[in-house]
């Protein structure tokens, strides 16, 4: 049977990664005051090889800035992503900010060293209830993919089995790698905006289609508290330490505590919350 245009369109609408990426872009473009890049390359800090990013976005108000490294992952709702986790511990309840500063030192020369006006940066940590990741709320620790069992027989009760999550790992790892360069940019914000201090948050984000994200919540004894739930957002704790600052003598550690996962609906709601709480 020859393939038809409706056949192609039906498959593309469900499975084409670029179409999903464009739908994510529609949400980003609708956000007032947002600045973004769609597609581009950067040098991976680990492999030192060029890589592509999907989106980089930023929102700014006065001395506050939010950078986002956004990767898009198209998933079928029949092969969803399942976030398995439990209550967030106190030591996981934090997020780091880059505090960029302008030094106000008069130009001078002492012992062959020139001191002059310039920029510096440091890591500022927000913890516990003041963090965007409060203690005792749900946090993901493991990711599963679920698919129909290809070997199911009439005598088997296993309708579904786990699938490889390597594509999900690749997406969030790429969001983290893209975030490293955004952290470097954040170290320069005080100089760029001519302010004494600027604070920047950097979030790695992965966006999946609606109906493709679930959570399973465990208690401290490893028992599932309630039936798995379909959700629009969730966070995976990674605790990834990164050395930032282009100047070696001023290098400091920044820790990316979580990866944000959103459906398209959740991603749109996230921006609505951010914009309504802080008018960028």
């Amino acid at each position: 049977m020859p393939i038809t245009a409706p056949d192609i369109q039906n498959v593309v609408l469900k499975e084409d990664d670029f179409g999903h990426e464009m739908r994510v872009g529609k949400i980003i473009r609708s956000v007032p005051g947002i600045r973004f890049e769609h597609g581009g390359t950067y040098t991976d800090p680990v492999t030192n090889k060029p890589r592509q990013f999907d989106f980089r976005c930023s929102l700014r108000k006065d001395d506050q800035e939010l950078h986002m490294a956004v990767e898009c992952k198209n998933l079928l709702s029949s092969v969803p992503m399942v976030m398995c986790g439990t209550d967030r511990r106190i030591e996981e309840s934090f997020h780091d900010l880059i505090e960029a500063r302008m030094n106000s030192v008069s130009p001078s020369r002492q012992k062959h060293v020139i001191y002059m006006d310039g920029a510096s940066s440091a890591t500022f940590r927000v913890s516990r209830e003041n963090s965007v990741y409060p203690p005792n709320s749900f946090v993901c620790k493991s990711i599963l993919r679920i698919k129909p069992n290809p070997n199911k027989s009439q005598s088997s009760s296993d309708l579904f089995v786990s699938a490889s999550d390597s594509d999900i790992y690749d997406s969030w790892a790429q969001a983290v790698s893209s975030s490293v360069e955004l952290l470097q940019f954040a170290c320069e914000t005080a100089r760029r905006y001519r302010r004494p201090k600027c604070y920047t948050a950097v979030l790695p984000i992965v966006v999946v289609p609606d109906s493709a994200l679930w959570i399973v919540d465990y208690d401290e004894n490893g028992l599932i508290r309630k039936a798995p739930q379909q959700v629009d957002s969730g966070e995976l704790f990674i605790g990834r330490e990164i050395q930032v600052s282009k100047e070696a003598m001023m290098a400091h550690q920044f820790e990316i505590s979580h990866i944000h996962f959103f459906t398209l609906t959740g991603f749109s709601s996230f921006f609505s919350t951010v914009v309504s709480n802080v008018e960028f």
Side-chain angles (χ1 to χ4, degrees), residues 32-66:
I34 198 166
R35 304 185 305 279
F36 70 93
E37 297 176 80
H38 180 192
T41 60
Y42 65 96
T43 301
D44 189 293
V46 176
T47 64
N48 207 34
K49 295 180 180 179
R51 297 187 71 177
Q52 280 191 310
F53 62 83
D54 289 341
F55 292 95
R56 284 177 172 176
C57 317
S58 63
L59 287 165
R60 175 186 168 230
K61 182 183 180 186
D62 301 329
D63 61 355
Q64 301 175 57
E65 192 157 45
L66 173 62

PDB file of all heavy atoms in Angstrom, residues 32-66:
ATOM      1  N   PRO A  32       6.692  37.764  27.929  1.00  0.00           N
ATOM      2  CA  PRO A  32       7.086  39.174  27.822  1.00  0.00           C
ATOM      3  C   PRO A  32       8.513  39.399  28.321  1.00  0.00           C
ATOM      4  O   PRO A  32       8.907  38.905  29.365  1.00  0.00           O
ATOM      5  CB  PRO A  32       6.078  39.889  28.732  1.00  0.00           C
ATOM      6  CG  PRO A  32       4.934  38.951  28.870  1.00  0.00           C
ATOM      7  CD  PRO A  32       5.515  37.575  28.793  1.00  0.00           C
ATOM      8  N   GLY A  33       9.286  40.132  27.542  1.00  0.00           N
ATOM      9  CA  GLY A  33      10.617  40.537  27.980  1.00  0.00           C
ATOM     10  C   GLY A  33      11.690  39.478  27.892  1.00  0.00           C
ATOM     11  O   GLY A  33      12.828  39.724  28.308  1.00  0.00           O
ATOM     12  N   ILE A  34      11.382  38.315  27.348  1.00  0.00           N
ATOM     13  CA  ILE A  34      12.382  37.247  27.327  1.00  0.00           C
ATOM     14  C   ILE A  34      13.364  37.455  26.170  1.00  0.00           C
ATOM     15  O   ILE A  34      13.013  37.972  25.111  1.00  0.00           O
ATOM     16  CB  ILE A  34      11.707  35.856  27.213  1.00  0.00           C
ATOM     17  CG1 ILE A  34      12.685  34.752  27.624  1.00  0.00           C
ATOM     18  CG2 ILE A  34      11.167  35.616  25.806  1.00  0.00           C
ATOM     19  CD1 ILE A  34      12.026  33.408  27.874  1.00  0.00           C
ATOM     20  N   ARG A  35      14.606  37.103  26.419  1.00  0.00           N
ATOM     21  CA  ARG A  35      15.634  37.077  25.378  1.00  0.00           C
ATOM     22  C   ARG A  35      16.036  35.617  25.182  1.00  0.00           C
ATOM     23  O   ARG A  35      16.220  34.896  26.158  1.00  0.00           O
ATOM     24  CB  ARG A  35      16.856  37.905  25.783  1.00  0.00           C
ATOM     25  CG  ARG A  35      16.518  39.346  26.134  1.00  0.00           C
ATOM     26  CD  ARG A  35      17.761  40.171  26.424  1.00  0.00           C
ATOM     27  NE  ARG A  35      18.602  39.598  27.460  1.00  0.00           N
ATOM     28  CZ  ARG A  35      18.387  39.730  28.769  1.00  0.00           C
ATOM     29  NH1 ARG A  35      17.336  40.410  29.196  1.00  0.00           N
ATOM     30  NH2 ARG A  35      19.208  39.198  29.649  1.00  0.00           N
ATOM     31  N   PHE A  36      16.186  35.193  23.935  1.00  0.00           N
ATOM     32  CA  PHE A  36      16.494  33.784  23.730  1.00  0.00           C
ATOM     33  C   PHE A  36      17.263  33.564  22.437  1.00  0.00           C
ATOM     34  O   PHE A  36      17.222  34.381  21.516  1.00  0.00           O
ATOM     35  CB  PHE A  36      15.220  32.937  23.747  1.00  0.00           C
ATOM     36  CG  PHE A  36      14.315  33.139  22.554  1.00  0.00           C
ATOM     37  CD1 PHE A  36      14.429  32.320  21.430  1.00  0.00           C
ATOM     38  CD2 PHE A  36      13.350  34.135  22.556  1.00  0.00           C
ATOM     39  CE1 PHE A  36      13.598  32.505  20.335  1.00  0.00           C
ATOM     40  CE2 PHE A  36      12.517  34.329  21.464  1.00  0.00           C
ATOM     41  CZ  PHE A  36      12.646  33.508  20.354  1.00  0.00           C
ATOM     42  N   GLU A  37      17.973  32.456  22.403  1.00  0.00           N
ATOM     43  CA  GLU A  37      18.614  31.941  21.202  1.00  0.00           C
ATOM     44  C   GLU A  37      18.009  30.578  20.909  1.00  0.00           C
ATOM     45  O   GLU A  37      17.849  29.766  21.813  1.00  0.00           O
ATOM     46  CB  GLU A  37      20.121  31.772  21.401  1.00  0.00           C
ATOM     47  CG  GLU A  37      20.889  33.025  21.683  1.00  0.00           C
ATOM     48  CD  GLU A  37      22.350  32.696  21.961  1.00  0.00           C
ATOM     49  OE1 GLU A  37      23.115  32.486  20.988  1.00  0.00           O
ATOM     50  OE2 GLU A  37      22.713  32.615  23.153  1.00  0.00           O
ATOM     51  N   HIS A  38      17.704  30.342  19.647  1.00  0.00           N
ATOM     52  CA  HIS A  38      17.176  29.038  19.235  1.00  0.00           C
ATOM     53  C   HIS A  38      18.214  28.358  18.360  1.00  0.00           C
ATOM     54  O   HIS A  38      18.432  28.733  17.209  1.00  0.00           O
ATOM     55  CB  HIS A  38      15.866  29.215  18.465  1.00  0.00           C
ATOM     56  CG  HIS A  38      15.267  27.919  18.019  1.00  0.00           C
ATOM     57  ND1 HIS A  38      14.230  27.845  17.117  1.00  0.00           N
ATOM     58  CD2 HIS A  38      15.544  26.625  18.353  1.00  0.00           C
ATOM     59  CE1 HIS A  38      13.899  26.575  16.910  1.00  0.00           C
ATOM     60  NE2 HIS A  38      14.698  25.815  17.646  1.00  0.00           N
ATOM     61  N   GLY A  39      18.863  27.363  18.910  1.00  0.00           N
ATOM     62  CA  GLY A  39      19.883  26.652  18.170  1.00  0.00           C
ATOM     63  C   GLY A  39      21.204  27.405  18.168  1.00  0.00           C
ATOM     64  O   GLY A  39      21.254  28.623  18.048  1.00  0.00           O
ATOM     65  N   GLY A  40      22.262  26.703  18.347  1.00  0.00           N
ATOM     66  CA  GLY A  40      23.589  27.291  18.373  1.00  0.00           C
ATOM     67  C   GLY A  40      24.568  26.245  18.865  1.00  0.00           C
ATOM     68  O   GLY A  40      24.177  25.129  19.233  1.00  0.00           O
ATOM     69  N   THR A  41      25.837  26.591  18.854  1.00  0.00           N
ATOM     70  CA  THR A  41      26.852  25.645  19.290  1.00  0.00           C
ATOM     71  C   THR A  41      27.651  26.217  20.449  1.00  0.00           C
ATOM     72  O   THR A  41      27.725  27.427  20.635  1.00  0.00           O
ATOM     73  CB  THR A  41      27.811  25.286  18.145  1.00  0.00           C
ATOM     74  OG1 THR A  41      28.454  26.490  17.690  1.00  0.00           O
ATOM     75  CG2 THR A  41      27.074  24.639  16.995  1.00  0.00           C
ATOM     76  N   TYR A  42      28.233  25.336  21.218  1.00  0.00           N
ATOM     77  CA  TYR A  42      29.126  25.691  22.311  1.00  0.00           C
ATOM     78  C   TYR A  42      30.141  24.570  22.448  1.00  0.00           C
ATOM     79  O   TYR A  42      29.983  23.491  21.871  1.00  0.00           O
ATOM     80  CB  TYR A  42      28.346  25.874  23.622  1.00  0.00           C
ATOM     81  CG  TYR A  42      27.690  24.607  24.135  1.00  0.00           C
ATOM     82  CD1 TYR A  42      28.304  23.808  25.090  1.00  0.00           C
ATOM     83  CD2 TYR A  42      26.444  24.202  23.646  1.00  0.00           C
ATOM     84  CE1 TYR A  42      27.713  22.637  25.538  1.00  0.00           C
ATOM     85  CE2 TYR A  42      25.844  23.030  24.083  1.00  0.00           C
ATOM     86  CZ  TYR A  42      26.483  22.257  25.031  1.00  0.00           C
ATOM     87  OH  TYR A  42      25.902  21.097  25.476  1.00  0.00           O
ATOM     88  N   THR A  43      31.188  24.820  23.204  1.00  0.00           N
ATOM     89  CA  THR A  43      32.209  23.805  23.422  1.00  0.00           C
ATOM     90  C   THR A  43      31.917  23.066  24.709  1.00  0.00           C
ATOM     91  O   THR A  43      31.824  23.679  25.778  1.00  0.00           O
ATOM     92  CB  THR A  43      33.609  24.437  23.502  1.00  0.00           C
ATOM     93  OG1 THR A  43      33.877  25.138  22.279  1.00  0.00           O
ATOM     94  CG2 THR A  43      34.673  23.371  23.715  1.00  0.00           C
ATOM     95  N   ASP A  44      31.727  21.762  24.619  1.00  0.00           N
ATOM     96  CA  ASP A  44      31.452  20.951  25.804  1.00  0.00           C
ATOM     97  C   ASP A  44      32.631  21.041  26.763  1.00  0.00           C
ATOM     98  O   ASP A  44      33.781  20.792  26.374  1.00  0.00           O
ATOM     99  CB  ASP A  44      31.226  19.490  25.394  1.00  0.00           C
ATOM    100  CG  ASP A  44      30.720  18.639  26.536  1.00  0.00           C
ATOM    101  OD1 ASP A  44      31.490  18.427  27.489  1.00  0.00           O
ATOM    102  OD2 ASP A  44      29.567  18.180  26.469  1.00  0.00           O
ATOM    103  N   PRO A  45      32.369  21.424  28.037  1.00  0.00           N
ATOM    104  CA  PRO A  45      33.476  21.600  28.984  1.00  0.00           C
ATOM    105  C   PRO A  45      34.193  20.313  29.362  1.00  0.00           C
ATOM    106  O   PRO A  45      35.312  20.353  29.859  1.00  0.00           O
ATOM    107  CB  PRO A  45      32.785  22.218  30.206  1.00  0.00           C
ATOM    108  CG  PRO A  45      31.362  21.795  30.109  1.00  0.00           C
ATOM    109  CD  PRO A  45      31.063  21.736  28.644  1.00  0.00           C
ATOM    110  N   VAL A  46      33.563  19.164  29.124  1.00  0.00           N
ATOM    111  CA  VAL A  46      34.176  17.882  29.469  1.00  0.00           C
ATOM    112  C   VAL A  46      34.936  17.296  28.285  1.00  0.00           C
ATOM    113  O   VAL A  46      36.111  16.931  28.388  1.00  0.00           O
ATOM    114  CB  VAL A  46      33.117  16.879  29.974  1.00  0.00           C
ATOM    115  CG1 VAL A  46      33.747  15.518  30.240  1.00  0.00           C
ATOM    116  CG2 VAL A  46      32.436  17.412  31.226  1.00  0.00           C
ATOM    117  N   THR A  47      34.263  17.215  27.136  1.00  0.00           N
ATOM    118  CA  THR A  47      34.881  16.590  25.965  1.00  0.00           C
ATOM    119  C   THR A  47      35.661  17.572  25.113  1.00  0.00           C
ATOM    120  O   THR A  47      36.446  17.157  24.250  1.00  0.00           O
ATOM    121  CB  THR A  47      33.799  15.935  25.090  1.00  0.00           C
ATOM    122  OG1 THR A  47      32.927  16.955  24.575  1.00  0.00           O
ATOM    123  CG2 THR A  47      32.985  14.938  25.890  1.00  0.00           C
ATOM    124  N   ASN A  48      35.435  18.873  25.316  1.00  0.00           N
ATOM    125  CA  ASN A  48      36.073  19.925  24.528  1.00  0.00           C
ATOM    126  C   ASN A  48      35.684  19.853  23.050  1.00  0.00           C
ATOM    127  O   ASN A  48      36.409  20.322  22.179  1.00  0.00           O
ATOM    128  CB  ASN A  48      37.596  19.876  24.670  1.00  0.00           C
ATOM    129  CG  ASN A  48      38.228  21.241  24.452  1.00  0.00           C
ATOM    130  OD1 ASN A  48      37.643  22.269  24.796  1.00  0.00           O
ATOM    131  ND2 ASN A  48      39.413  21.266  23.868  1.00  0.00           N
ATOM    132  N   LYS A  49      34.506  19.259  22.785  1.00  0.00           N
ATOM    133  CA  LYS A  49      34.001  19.141  21.426  1.00  0.00           C
ATOM    134  C   LYS A  49      32.789  20.056  21.246  1.00  0.00           C
ATOM    135  O   LYS A  49      32.073  20.353  22.205  1.00  0.00           O
ATOM    136  CB  LYS A  49      33.611  17.690  21.122  1.00  0.00           C
ATOM    137  CG  LYS A  49      34.776  16.723  21.122  1.00  0.00           C
ATOM    138  CD  LYS A  49      34.299  15.312  20.814  1.00  0.00           C
ATOM    139  CE  LYS A  49      35.458  14.329  20.801  1.00  0.00           C
ATOM    140  NZ  LYS A  49      35.005  12.938  20.514  1.00  0.00           N
ATOM    141  N   PRO A  50      32.550  20.521  20.017  1.00  0.00           N
ATOM    142  CA  PRO A  50      31.373  21.368  19.790  1.00  0.00           C
ATOM    143  C   PRO A  50      30.080  20.580  19.940  1.00  0.00           C
ATOM    144  O   PRO A  50      29.991  19.424  19.508  1.00  0.00           O
ATOM    145  CB  PRO A  50      31.559  21.860  18.351  1.00  0.00           C
ATOM    146  CG  PRO A  50      32.454  20.847  17.718  1.00  0.00           C
ATOM    147  CD  PRO A  50      33.347  20.333  18.807  1.00  0.00           C
ATOM    148  N   ARG A  51      29.084  21.217  20.573  1.00  0.00           N
ATOM    149  CA  ARG A  51      27.768  20.597  20.722  1.00  0.00           C
ATOM    150  C   ARG A  51      26.706  21.644  20.408  1.00  0.00           C
ATOM    151  O   ARG A  51      26.974  22.845  20.437  1.00  0.00           O
ATOM    152  CB  ARG A  51      27.558  20.064  22.140  1.00  0.00           C
ATOM    153  CG  ARG A  51      28.514  18.962  22.527  1.00  0.00           C
ATOM    154  CD  ARG A  51      28.161  18.357  23.869  1.00  0.00           C
ATOM    155  NE  ARG A  51      26.940  17.558  23.790  1.00  0.00           N
ATOM    156  CZ  ARG A  51      26.447  16.867  24.824  1.00  0.00           C
ATOM    157  NH1 ARG A  51      27.048  16.903  25.990  1.00  0.00           N
ATOM    158  NH2 ARG A  51      25.355  16.155  24.686  1.00  0.00           N
ATOM    159  N   GLN A  52      25.519  21.184  20.133  1.00  0.00           N
ATOM    160  CA  GLN A  52      24.402  22.073  19.838  1.00  0.00           C
ATOM    161  C   GLN A  52      23.473  22.169  21.033  1.00  0.00           C
ATOM    162  O   GLN A  52      23.303  21.204  21.783  1.00  0.00           O
ATOM    163  CB  GLN A  52      23.609  21.572  18.632  1.00  0.00           C
ATOM    164  CG  GLN A  52      24.238  21.901  17.297  1.00  0.00           C
ATOM    165  CD  GLN A  52      23.283  21.627  16.155  1.00  0.00           C
ATOM    166  OE1 GLN A  52      22.700  20.548  16.069  1.00  0.00           O
ATOM    167  NE2 GLN A  52      23.103  22.597  15.284  1.00  0.00           N
ATOM    168  N   PHE A  53      22.871  23.340  21.224  1.00  0.00           N
ATOM    169  CA  PHE A  53      21.816  23.484  22.223  1.00  0.00           C
ATOM    170  C   PHE A  53      20.513  23.798  21.506  1.00  0.00           C
ATOM    171  O   PHE A  53      20.516  24.303  20.379  1.00  0.00           O
ATOM    172  CB  PHE A  53      22.158  24.576  23.252  1.00  0.00           C
ATOM    173  CG  PHE A  53      22.303  25.966  22.681  1.00  0.00           C
ATOM    174  CD1 PHE A  53      21.191  26.776  22.441  1.00  0.00           C
ATOM    175  CD2 PHE A  53      23.561  26.486  22.397  1.00  0.00           C
ATOM    176  CE1 PHE A  53      21.318  28.055  21.930  1.00  0.00           C
ATOM    177  CE2 PHE A  53      23.707  27.770  21.893  1.00  0.00           C
ATOM    178  CZ  PHE A  53      22.586  28.551  21.653  1.00  0.00           C
ATOM    179  N   ASP A  54      19.387  23.518  22.176  1.00  0.00           N
ATOM    180  CA  ASP A  54      18.081  23.822  21.597  1.00  0.00           C
ATOM    181  C   ASP A  54      17.708  25.284  21.833  1.00  0.00           C
ATOM    182  O   ASP A  54      17.479  26.044  20.894  1.00  0.00           O
ATOM    183  CB  ASP A  54      17.008  22.893  22.178  1.00  0.00           C
ATOM    184  CG  ASP A  54      17.151  21.467  21.673  1.00  0.00           C
ATOM    185  OD1 ASP A  54      17.818  21.266  20.633  1.00  0.00           O
ATOM    186  OD2 ASP A  54      16.612  20.551  22.319  1.00  0.00           O
ATOM    187  N   PHE A  55      17.628  25.682  23.115  1.00  0.00           N
ATOM    188  CA  PHE A  55      17.300  27.070  23.447  1.00  0.00           C
ATOM    189  C   PHE A  55      18.149  27.542  24.614  1.00  0.00           C
ATOM    190  O   PHE A  55      18.485  26.756  25.517  1.00  0.00           O
ATOM    191  CB  PHE A  55      15.828  27.219  23.859  1.00  0.00           C
ATOM    192  CG  PHE A  55      14.845  27.003  22.753  1.00  0.00           C
ATOM    193  CD1 PHE A  55      14.249  25.760  22.564  1.00  0.00           C
ATOM    194  CD2 PHE A  55      14.485  28.034  21.898  1.00  0.00           C
ATOM    195  CE1 PHE A  55      13.341  25.537  21.552  1.00  0.00           C
ATOM    196  CE2 PHE A  55      13.574  27.835  20.877  1.00  0.00           C
ATOM    197  CZ  PHE A  55      12.994  26.586  20.706  1.00  0.00           C
ATOM    198  N   ARG A  56      18.485  28.809  24.607  1.00  0.00           N
ATOM    199  CA  ARG A  56      19.014  29.497  25.776  1.00  0.00           C
ATOM    200  C   ARG A  56      18.160  30.745  25.973  1.00  0.00           C
ATOM    201  O   ARG A  56      17.979  31.526  25.032  1.00  0.00           O
ATOM    202  CB  ARG A  56      20.482  29.890  25.585  1.00  0.00           C
ATOM    203  CG  ARG A  56      21.437  28.717  25.719  1.00  0.00           C
ATOM    204  CD  ARG A  56      22.858  29.151  25.456  1.00  0.00           C
ATOM    205  NE  ARG A  56      23.808  28.094  25.769  1.00  0.00           N
ATOM    206  CZ  ARG A  56      25.107  28.196  25.562  1.00  0.00           C
ATOM    207  NH1 ARG A  56      25.610  29.311  25.049  1.00  0.00           N
ATOM    208  NH2 ARG A  56      25.911  27.196  25.871  1.00  0.00           N
ATOM    209  N   CYS A  57      17.646  30.917  27.180  1.00  0.00           N
ATOM    210  CA  CYS A  57      16.707  32.002  27.466  1.00  0.00           C
ATOM    211  C   CYS A  57      17.177  32.791  28.682  1.00  0.00           C
ATOM    212  O   CYS A  57      17.846  32.247  29.566  1.00  0.00           O
ATOM    213  CB  CYS A  57      15.309  31.465  27.761  1.00  0.00           C
ATOM    214  SG  CYS A  57      14.751  30.144  26.673  1.00  0.00           S
ATOM    215  N   SER A  58      16.786  34.050  28.752  1.00  0.00           N
ATOM    216  CA  SER A  58      17.089  34.838  29.947  1.00  0.00           C
ATOM    217  C   SER A  58      16.008  35.883  30.175  1.00  0.00           C
ATOM    218  O   SER A  58      15.427  36.429  29.235  1.00  0.00           O
ATOM    219  CB  SER A  58      18.460  35.507  29.842  1.00  0.00           C
ATOM    220  OG  SER A  58      18.501  36.423  28.780  1.00  0.00           O
ATOM    221  N   LEU A  59      15.727  36.115  31.450  1.00  0.00           N
ATOM    222  CA  LEU A  59      14.820  37.161  31.909  1.00  0.00           C
ATOM    223  C   LEU A  59      15.576  38.002  32.928  1.00  0.00           C
ATOM    224  O   LEU A  59      16.296  37.475  33.765  1.00  0.00           O
ATOM    225  CB  LEU A  59      13.577  36.561  32.557  1.00  0.00           C
ATOM    226  CG  LEU A  59      12.561  35.903  31.619  1.00  0.00           C
ATOM    227  CD1 LEU A  59      11.587  35.044  32.418  1.00  0.00           C
ATOM    228  CD2 LEU A  59      11.796  36.967  30.825  1.00  0.00           C
ATOM    229  N   ARG A  60      15.388  39.318  32.872  1.00  0.00           N
ATOM    230  CA  ARG A  60      16.140  40.198  33.769  1.00  0.00           C
ATOM    231  C   ARG A  60      15.244  41.290  34.314  1.00  0.00           C
ATOM    232  O   ARG A  60      14.409  41.851  33.616  1.00  0.00           O
ATOM    233  CB  ARG A  60      17.312  40.827  33.027  1.00  0.00           C
ATOM    234  CG  ARG A  60      18.064  41.859  33.863  1.00  0.00           C
ATOM    235  CD  ARG A  60      19.136  42.584  33.071  1.00  0.00           C
ATOM    236  NE  ARG A  60      19.606  43.735  33.823  1.00  0.00           N
ATOM    237  CZ  ARG A  60      19.706  44.957  33.352  1.00  0.00           C
ATOM    238  NH1 ARG A  60      19.362  45.223  32.105  1.00  0.00           N
ATOM    239  NH2 ARG A  60      20.141  45.946  34.105  1.00  0.00           N
ATOM    240  N   LYS A  61      15.440  41.595  35.618  1.00  0.00           N
ATOM    241  CA  LYS A  61      14.852  42.773  36.231  1.00  0.00           C
ATOM    242  C   LYS A  61      15.863  43.353  37.206  1.00  0.00           C
ATOM    243  O   LYS A  61      16.292  42.669  38.143  1.00  0.00           O
ATOM    244  CB  LYS A  61      13.556  42.454  36.971  1.00  0.00           C
ATOM    245  CG  LYS A  61      12.945  43.722  37.571  1.00  0.00           C
ATOM    246  CD  LYS A  61      11.696  43.452  38.387  1.00  0.00           C
ATOM    247  CE  LYS A  61      11.157  44.768  38.932  1.00  0.00           C
ATOM    248  NZ  LYS A  61      10.020  44.563  39.840  1.00  0.00           N
ATOM    249  N   ASP A  62      16.229  44.613  36.991  1.00  0.00           N
ATOM    250  CA  ASP A  62      17.175  45.313  37.861  1.00  0.00           C
ATOM    251  C   ASP A  62      18.442  44.490  38.024  1.00  0.00           C
ATOM    252  O   ASP A  62      19.133  44.237  37.053  1.00  0.00           O
ATOM    253  CB  ASP A  62      16.524  45.639  39.207  1.00  0.00           C
ATOM    254  CG  ASP A  62      15.284  46.513  39.063  1.00  0.00           C
ATOM    255  OD1 ASP A  62      15.247  47.314  38.115  1.00  0.00           O
ATOM    256  OD2 ASP A  62      14.357  46.377  39.865  1.00  0.00           O
ATOM    257  N   ASP A  63      18.743  44.055  39.252  1.00  0.00           N
ATOM    258  CA  ASP A  63      19.988  43.313  39.492  1.00  0.00           C
ATOM    259  C   ASP A  63      19.755  41.809  39.589  1.00  0.00           C
ATOM    260  O   ASP A  63      20.572  41.081  40.134  1.00  0.00           O
ATOM    261  CB  ASP A  63      20.670  43.829  40.764  1.00  0.00           C
ATOM    262  CG  ASP A  63      19.797  43.657  42.006  1.00  0.00           C
ATOM    263  OD1 ASP A  63      18.635  43.234  41.866  1.00  0.00           O
ATOM    264  OD2 ASP A  63      20.291  43.949  43.110  1.00  0.00           O
ATOM    265  N   GLN A  64      18.629  41.334  39.053  1.00  0.00           N
ATOM    266  CA  GLN A  64      18.326  39.895  39.084  1.00  0.00           C
ATOM    267  C   GLN A  64      18.173  39.371  37.660  1.00  0.00           C
ATOM    268  O   GLN A  64      17.564  40.013  36.808  1.00  0.00           O
ATOM    269  CB  GLN A  64      17.034  39.630  39.847  1.00  0.00           C
ATOM    270  CG  GLN A  64      17.041  40.110  41.289  1.00  0.00           C
ATOM    271  CD  GLN A  64      15.680  39.919  41.923  1.00  0.00           C
ATOM    272  OE1 GLN A  64      15.146  38.819  41.977  1.00  0.00           O
ATOM    273  NE2 GLN A  64      15.102  41.006  42.398  1.00  0.00           N
ATOM    274  N   GLU A  65      18.722  38.190  37.424  1.00  0.00           N
ATOM    275  CA  GLU A  65      18.627  37.589  36.100  1.00  0.00           C
ATOM    276  C   GLU A  65      18.414  36.084  36.243  1.00  0.00           C
ATOM    277  O   GLU A  65      18.962  35.456  37.151  1.00  0.00           O
ATOM    278  CB  GLU A  65      19.881  37.886  35.287  1.00  0.00           C
ATOM    279  CG  GLU A  65      19.735  37.547  33.810  1.00  0.00           C
ATOM    280  CD  GLU A  65      20.704  38.321  32.938  1.00  0.00           C
ATOM    281  OE1 GLU A  65      21.894  38.409  33.306  1.00  0.00           O
ATOM    282  OE2 GLU A  65      20.275  38.842  31.899  1.00  0.00           O
ATOM    283  N   LEU A  66      17.617  35.537  35.326  1.00  0.00           N
ATOM    284  CA  LEU A  66      17.364  34.101  35.276  1.00  0.00           C
ATOM    285  C   LEU A  66      17.796  33.594  33.912  1.00  0.00           C
ATOM    286  O   LEU A  66      17.285  34.050  32.882  1.00  0.00           O
ATOM    287  CB  LEU A  66      15.876  33.807  35.495  1.00  0.00           C
ATOM    288  CG  LEU A  66      15.422  32.356  35.303  1.00  0.00           C
ATOM    289  CD1 LEU A  66      16.103  31.429  36.299  1.00  0.00           C
ATOM    290  CD2 LEU A  66      13.900  32.240  35.417  1.00  0.00           C
TER     291      LEU A  66
END
